[in-house]
Amino acid sequence: PTPAPGRGSSGPWRTANPKPVITAGLGIMLSEEHNGLQIVVIEKGSPADKSADISRGDVVVAVDRVRVAGKSSEEVLDMMQGAPNSTVSITVKSSGP
């Protein structure tokens, strides 16, 4: 099923999975999981897609070297937002081997 927009372009999205999915300007969609914000979608051709360091299933642990543990999803999303063409660094915990 195609996601239907929720509150605004950067707000939660609803899919067949009842958990909210949050979009970020990096070309990723994040889902609130028990272990943190997990990357569930990487948009083809996006900045995240061009990075070999980010994979679907990874969990965001820091944004611009600031740990995100204990922060709300809204706070983390705000940390990821920037002016057009600006840069942001995210640190992830790999879901792979």
Side-chain angles (χ1 to χ4, degrees), residues 24-75:
L26 305 168
I28 58 176
M29 293 177 120
L30 303 166
S31 177
E32 293 181 12
E33 300 296 332
H34 70 284
N35 58 346
L37 288 175
Q38 186 176 49
I39 298 170
V40 292
V41 173
I42 299 175
E43 296 174 12
K44 189 170 182 109
S46 70
D49 185 41
K50 294 174 184 174
S51 170
D53 299 327
I54 300 173
S55 299
R56 191 170 154 236
D58 289 352
V59 175
V60 177
V61 296
V63 177
D64 286 333
R65 295 184 170 180
V66 177
R67 296 194 58 80
V68 300
K71 297 190 183 306
S72 71
S73 57
E74 290 81 14
E75 288 175 296

